[in-house]
């Protein structure tokens, strides 16, 4: 027969064991906190798509992964963010391919002026086998490209006059992204290229440090240049894809199930971003017009394209291994 002392001790052990089981069941595994980089303000099409990507990943992984997007480049400008993502300090990001060239030379192809005929052509190329080849090149530098965003067509704007011919660029100080191809592009047009951070453009226009820059409608409007540089000329010289990229170390730590969830969420985000982009581009254009901006078509783009031939020649000479990829992109659009 059990004594009262023995019985009480036995009951205590049972209760303790039961509490341990309940605790093990009720306390979920620690969520993986992901940090995501974004250069744009929260209302931007890319930002909305990235937030929905984060929400979808959190929901479908049942909280195993909790991504958080940091907007307005608060974690650094794009070159810094690329390095942070490559070394795993950041988990994911939306990167424009323009500043990617110094790290992934193959992506410089995407920065060749007039390489794409239209945004639709760009999407078709990047969503296919050629896009996979660029993803492979990024993966070699520890960036896993899961989907491709759009960034519209980039055109020239300035504070002085409309641009109709290459001669109209002569002597203008034009901000470009940090890529030698863009410097060469403006130089071939007779302008003075000035690489600088995106965040410095508005103030530099106001103070006369630069005369102009080149960008798409939403960027021209959202960060304020349309208030100062009242001439926007539709050269449409660059149609740059952007990636939704994940750090390779972050990706490799995922289970196969979670990889599928993250990739599907990234593809959904790209579809949403492209639709939101078109809507925002139209509203940004109208806002610029309402503010008195003079928007002009460029009737003879061939004259600009001819000026770019030395860039293609130099590029192929420097990167003979990429000549086939250049030709494949051009052939795919014919």
């Amino acid at each position: 027969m059990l004594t009262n002392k023995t019985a009480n001790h036995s009951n205590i052990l049972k209760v303790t064991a039961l509490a341990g089981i309940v605790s093990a069941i009720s306390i979920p595994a620690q969520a993986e906190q992901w940090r995501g980089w974004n250069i744009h303000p929260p209302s931007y099409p890319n930002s909305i798509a990235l937030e929905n990507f984060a929400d979808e990943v959190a929901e479908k992984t049942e909280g195993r992964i909790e991504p958080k997007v940091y907007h307005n480049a608060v974690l650094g400008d794009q070159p810094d963010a690329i390095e942070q993502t490559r070394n795993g300090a950041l988990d994911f990001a939306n990167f424009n391919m323009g500043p990617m060239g110094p790290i992934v030379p193959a992506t410089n192809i995407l920065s060749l002026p007039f390489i794409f005929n239209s945004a639709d052509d760009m999407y078709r190329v990047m969503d296919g086998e050629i896009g996979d080849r660029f993803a492979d090149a990024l993966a070699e530098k520890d960036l896993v490209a899961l989907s491709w965003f759009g960034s519209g067509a980039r055109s020239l704007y300035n504070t002085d006059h409309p641009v109709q011919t290459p001669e109209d660029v002569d002597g203008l100080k034009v901000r470009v992204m940090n890529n030698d191809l863009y410097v060469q592009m403006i130089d071939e047009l007779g302008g003075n290229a000035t690489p600088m951070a995106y965040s410095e453009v508005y103030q530099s226009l106001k103070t006369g440090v630069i005369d102009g820059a080149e960008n798409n409608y939403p960027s021209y409007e959202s960060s304020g240049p349309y208030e100062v540089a009242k001439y926007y000329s539709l050269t449409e010289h660059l149609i740059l894809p952007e990636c939704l990229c994940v750090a390779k170390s972050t990706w490799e730590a995922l289970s196969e199930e979670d990889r599928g969830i993250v990739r599907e969420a990234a593809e959904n985000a790209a579809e949403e971003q492209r639709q939101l982009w078109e809507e925002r581009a139209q509203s940004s254009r109208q806002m610029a017009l309402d503010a008195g901006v003079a928007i002009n078509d460029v009737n003879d783009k061939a004259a600009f394209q001819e000026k770019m031939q030395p860039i293609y020649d130099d590029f192929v000479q420097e990167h003979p291994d990429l000549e086939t990829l250049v030709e494949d992109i051009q052939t795919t659009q014919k």
Side-chain angles (χ1 to χ4, degrees):
M1 176 180 291
L2 292 173
T3 65
N4 287 340
K5 183 176 180 181
T6 302
N8 288 340
H9 181 67
S10 176
N11 288 336
I12 289 170
L13 289 175
K14 290 177 182 178
V15 170
T16 302
L18 180 61
I21 293 170
V22 171
S23 175
I25 293 172
S26 61
I27 297 177
Q30 177 112 19
E32 186 73 21
Q33 307 287 331
W34 278 14
R35 298 202 311 158
W37 180 89
N38 176 37
I39 199 170
H40 303 291
S43 61
Y44 209 73
N46 303 44
S47 308
I48 295 169
L50 285 171
E51 289 287 357
N52 289 335
F53 163 78
D55 290 344
E56 183 175 343
V57 169
E59 178 185 352
K60 291 187 176 178
T61 62
E62 298 179 336
R64 291 190 300 276
I65 304 170
E66 293 184 352
K68 178 176 174 58
V69 186
Y70 293 83
H71 305 291
N72 286 317
V74 296
L75 300 180
D77 285 321
Q78 176 156 318
D80 294 332
I82 291 172
E83 288 306 316
Q84 289 185 69
T85 309
R86 290 181 65 204
N87 64 35
L90 292 173
D91 297 288
F92 67 103
N94 166 210
F95 290 135
N96 187 286
M97 290 296 98
M100 191 67 73
I103 296 165
V104 186
T107 62
N108 273 323
I109 293 174
L110 303 171
S111 291
L112 289 170
F114 303 102
I115 189 70
F116 293 114
N117 298 329
S118 68
D120 286 343
D121 279 334
M122 183 274 285
Y123 290 140
R124 184 162 52 82
V125 169
M126 297 306 294
D127 286 342
E129 181 269 339
I130 290 175
D132 292 341
R133 287 151 73 178
F134 283 107
D136 290 342
L138 286 162
E140 291 177 3
K141 299 298 183 180
D142 299 325
L143 297 168
V144 179
L146 299 181
S147 63
W148 304 103
F149 286 11
S151 62
R154 298 174 75 97
S155 291
L156 288 166
Y157 60 85
N158 73 92
T159 59
D160 194 60
H161 56 257
V163 171
Q164 277 286 5
T165 69
E167 290 70 30
D168 293 327
V169 184
D170 190 52
L172 291 179
K173 293 174 291 184
V174 181
R175 177 266 176 179
V176 294
M177 290 184 288
N178 186 26
N179 187 313
D180 289 343
L181 281 174
Y182 304 147
V183 173
Q184 188 179 1
M185 175 183 70
I186 297 301
D187 287 348
E188 293 293 343
L189 295 174
N192 300 313
T194 306
M196 69 169 57
Y198 173 74
S199 58
E200 298 174 18
V201 173
Y202 178 72
Q203 191 62 29
S204 296
L205 286 167
K206 284 188 70 174
T207 57
V209 171
I210 56 174
D211 301 308
E214 50 83 48
N215 219 317
N216 50 57
Y217 276 131
S219 295
Y220 173 62
E221 170 264 310
S222 66
S223 55
Y226 78 105
E227 299 171 358
V228 188
K230 294 291 189 178
Y231 298 95
Y232 190 93
S233 303
L234 295 170
T235 50
E236 298 181 325
H237 50 274
L238 292 173
I239 300 175
L240 284 167
E242 302 191 357
C243 74
L244 201 173
C245 287
V246 172
K248 190 174 184 179
S249 58
T250 299
W251 180 253
E252 290 180 342
L254 295 175
S255 66
E256 285 300 319
E257 178 188 1
D258 285 348
R259 286 184 187 181
I261 289 171
V262 171
R263 186 175 291 279
E264 182 180 16
E267 291 171 352
N268 290 339
E271 184 177 345
E272 179 183 32
Q273 188 271 345
R274 295 176 190 185
Q275 179 180 343
L276 291 173
W277 180 270
E278 290 306 315
E279 295 170 1
R280 178 60 182 271
Q282 291 306 311
S283 64
S284 293
R285 179 181 184 277
Q286 189 58 54
M287 186 176 296
L289 287 171
D290 292 344
V293 170
I295 298 175
N296 67 282
D297 290 321
V298 174
N299 298 323
D300 186 12
K301 288 184 183 176
F304 288 85
Q305 292 169 326
E306 289 171 9
K307 289 280 189 179
M308 300 300 105
Q309 191 57 49
I311 297 178
Y312 279 76
D313 294 340
D314 291 348
F315 184 82
V316 168
Q317 184 174 358
E318 185 176 352
H319 303 285
D321 56 315
L322 297 177
E323 183 175 9
T324 299
L325 186 50
V326 173
E327 292 173 349
D328 289 347
I329 292 173
Q330 293 171 325
T331 301
T332 300
Q333 298 177 79
K334 290 180 179 178

